[in-house]
Amino acid sequence: MRRPGSPTLATRHSVSASLADIRRQAVADLAAAGIPSAEVDAELLIGHVLGLSRGQVQAKVVMGVDIDEQNVAAITAAVSRRAAREPLQHITGRAPFRSLELAVGPGVFVPRPETELVVQYAIDALNTSAVPSPIGVDLGSGSGAIALAMATEVPRARIFAAENSPDAFPWTRRNFDESGATNAVLEFVDLAHAFPDLDGIVDVVISNPPYIPAAAVPRDPEVHLFDPPHALYGGEDGLDAVHAVSKTGLRLLHAGGVLVIEHGEEQAAAIGGLLRADGWSAISTHPDLLGRDRATTALR
């Protein structure tokens, strides 16, 4: 922890300074605030202010580049926000997801790296479909990350996304517009009532629903203070939305269609039982890169 009275980025630099010094103090400030990825975040914040990639920031640090007072102040402000545990993506306004760069901010769930692996199951199912234009549906689209990954990586597919949060939907709409994906359709609709015109003809249904039990408050301040509750909590056992996804999936998918659900690491057994009771077959649980149960797939 920082000693009382020790300088911070805000107090040390009131005029132009070397980028190396700015970076060093930013890392120290973020580490003192408990940020586990202090070096990465410091370089990304500096890059955001200066319009540089992380690699370019590192190169300019080695070159001994100085930056002016205005940029010092902007970096100071950004680091202070991150030290207060505001998500990095809220500060930069962008979140990477596979090959995409998404707009995010207050009101929308920030896409996580583990979801990049989960969406691969849906992409694989679309790619192996024998029909010329397979159909994929994303239930509870949030930022649009899953739907747009499917649309951009499987351009022959037709992708439909449902989102019903008034706070999240403007972000979804913006990302759909920015993506330029002409094969992706977005609707403001509850996932339980989504796309009746597609009943029985969909190839893949995927969802990353709210699945945290109501009493289980996440430990990370970035999550419980900044992620929208509607994207986190799924009722008393965390499975309220999962029940709805199962019912909608049964309605939308044709025989042999694939369901993909992301979930918490301790929910695989409960979700498997839920899907079995609803009549799904070939139910399988899949781990993330850390070996934690992260996704369940099933066949209609």
Side-chain angles (χ1 to χ4, degrees), residues 268-294:
I271 289 176
L274 183 161
L275 295 178
R276 201 167 292 109
D278 282 350
W280 294 90
S281 63
I283 299 165
S284 182
T285 301
H286 308 273
D288 61 20
L289 291 178
L290 297 177
R292 302 172 300 194
D293 289 339
R294 179 58 60 188

Side-chain angles (χ1 to χ4, degrees), residues 7-21:
T8 66
L9 185 61
T11 58
R12 283 189 55 179
H13 301 290
S14 57
V15 294
S16 61
S18 77
L19 186 57
D21 284 347

Side-chain angles (χ1 to χ4, degrees), residues 84-269:
R85 304 306 292 263
E86 185 175 350
L88 173 73
Q89 298 87 347
H90 283 200
I91 300 169
T92 65
R94 310 298 293 184
F97 187 82
R98 293 176 71 98
S99 63
L100 301 167
E101 185 85 3
L102 301 168
V104 296
V108 70
F109 185 76
V110 174
R112 306 299 203 259
E114 51 265 33
T115 305
E116 296 187 24
L117 301 178
V118 176
V119 73
Q120 188 66 51
Y121 298 111
I123 289 171
D124 289 345
L126 291 170
N127 275 326
T128 57
S129 174
V131 302
S133 298
I135 299 174
V137 172
D138 175 22
L139 298 176
S141 196
S143 66
I146 288 174
L148 293 173
M150 292 192 293
T152 56
E153 295 185 44
V154 192
R156 72 185 179 99
R158 292 185 291 152
I159 305 301
F160 297 82
E163 177 54 56
N164 74 337
S165 165
D167 296 322
F169 190 82
W171 296 104
T172 329
R173 179 77 273 162
R174 175 177 171 182
N175 286 320
F176 267 65
D177 291 344
E178 288 184 359
S179 76
T182 58
N183 59 332
V185 174
L186 172 64
E187 287 192 14
F188 185 85
V189 62
D190 186 271
L191 63 85
H193 309 294
F195 310 118
D197 291 347
L198 300 179
D199 284 358
I201 64 171
V202 173
D203 297 273
V204 182
V205 169
I206 183 171
S207 182
N208 180 14
Y211 55 73
I212 298 175
V217 178
R219 287 175 294 180
D220 292 342
E222 291 87 345
V223 179
H224 71 254
L225 293 179
F226 293 95
D227 274 326
H230 70 262
L232 296 178
Y233 302 106
E236 185 176 353
D237 62 358
L239 301 181
D240 286 1
V242 178
H243 281 281
V245 168
S246 174
K247 300 296 185 186
T248 301
L250 288 169
R251 171 170 59 80
L252 291 172
L253 289 167
H254 59 65
V258 178
L259 175 71
V260 183
I261 300 176
E262 183 171 339
H263 52 73
E265 60 184 297
E266 298 178 354
Q267 295 176 309

